[in-house]
Amino acid sequence: MNCLEFQSALNADPHHLPLTARQHAEDCTQCARRMVKELNFDASLADVLQVPAPDGMEDRILLATRFNEKRRMTLYAVAASVLVVVSVMFSMPFLNGKPELDMAIEHVLAEPHHLAETRDVTPAQVNALLAQVGARSEVMLPVSYAGTCDLPNGKGGHIVLNTQHGRVTLMLMPMGKSGVVERKETNGVIAEMYAARYGNYSLIANSNAALKEARSMLASQLHWEKSKGI
Amino acid sequence: MSWFGLKTGKAALYETMVRAYSADMFRFAFWLCRDKSMAEDLVQETCLRAWKNWHNLNNVKATRQWLFTILRREHARLYQASKLNFIDVESEELESLLHYDDMPVVELNDGLEKLPLSYREPLLLQVLGGFSCGEIAVIVQTTEAAVMTRVSRARRMLREIMDDDEKGQEKLK
């Protein structure tokens, strides 16, 4: 290494001189003196740069970090809570732990008088109830009772249909889960649940024949908002 | 430092890091922005970012370098939305003016202020941070050769600025 190269290395970084530069300084008095001066220059520069850090700065930084972390965790907790609440709200209809077809059957069994009574029901009343699940009927169905009812998963419609094989209850559950078809035989009744445009609807009958007739009746008479139906 | 009553490994390491490096970071920040409260804000923001991005720290031994990189970026973010506009130095004069045995502090201070940021930054990292040119290159995201050039240039300019001041004062006398 010559003096020019040494000076170049010295200017670039006097604190991390390569071995060849240090060897050169040992042999060259002038460059050795330059190195000392450069290191002195840096030492003086470092002295000037040594401004004191503000008192308590470290503690303030740690406190700010802790505060930020706490706030972040709080935000996460709030977000998680909101998510849980929203999830619960959306799944309320399904959180009763009881299958919806069972709800419909229980409701029918709890109100047997509706099967017996005969009311004057208008097509508008029937269609108002059917509209809850996205259906309507152009012709008047053979209905002996029609009304709204309270179900564990929300308001529903309760219609009693007359068939040649006996009366069949049509339960409309607009708040129920959709896309399922179920069948159940229990407590002397046969029940089937179908997906509707909104929620679902169930047929509850005392015999297979009555259920079949009611199912056919709805299949032929009901019109759905979209293609969903029986 | 405990976090919600728990002193985790991350928290302990973070506290050690803050206590060990914040003063150095403050000095670097101060000489970049020349404002004490702004410098403290920069250091605090740097530490907060470091805490949030702790998972990005692959090598604990390089923590200091990583922190200075964040700090520099925070400073750049503060002043410029875009990348710092460095001046490319094509050639370098090797002549060294080594005649400052008695370093005048005020002149040196002024000289530092007059240095362009692109020169002042690597010089500060070297003198104040003790980083090598290779480490500085990583921090300022350039090549080692460019850093060597900038630092050499910074030293030369600093001496020239101080030399001019000295001559000016002599003329006044």
Side-chain angles (χ1 to χ4, degrees), chain A residues 7 11-14 34 37-38 41-42 44 48-51 57-60 62 65-66 69, chain B residues 1 3-4 14 19 22 26-27 31 40 48 51 94 96 98 103 108 112 126 151-152 155 159:
Chain A
Q7 206 163 316
N11 277 347
D13 191 352
R34 280 176 178 161
K37 283 184 178 179
E38 192 65 38
F41 177 87
D42 264 29
S44 302
V48 174
L49 298 177
Q50 290 298 320
V51 289
M57 183 182 71
E58 297 157 9
D59 292 328
R60 282 195 293 279
L62 293 171
T65 311
R66 201 178 307 164
E69 185 67 6
Chain B
M1 181 170 51
W3 305 88
F4 315 112
Y14 177 76
R19 296 205 183 279
S22 59
F26 172 79
R27 281 186 272 276
W31 286 106
E40 184 173 343
L48 291 175
W51 172 259
L94 296 174
S96 182
L98 302 170
M103 185 74 68
L108 190 55
L112 272 172
Q126 190 179 83
V151 172
S152 300
R155 288 175 190 281
R159 288 191 190 102

Side-chain angles (χ1 to χ4, degrees), chain B residues 56 62 64 129 138 143 171:
Chain B
N56 289 336
R64 195 157 168 273
V138 174
T143 61
K171 279 179 187 174

Side-chain angles (χ1 to χ4, degrees), chain B residues 64-79:
Chain B
R64 195 157 168 273
Q65 192 178 343
W66 180 58
L67 287 171
F68 273 79
T69 306
I70 299 171
L71 176 55
R72 180 185 170 270
R73 208 174 293 148
E74 283 303 312
H75 176 253
R77 204 195 306 271
L78 187 67
Y79 282 97

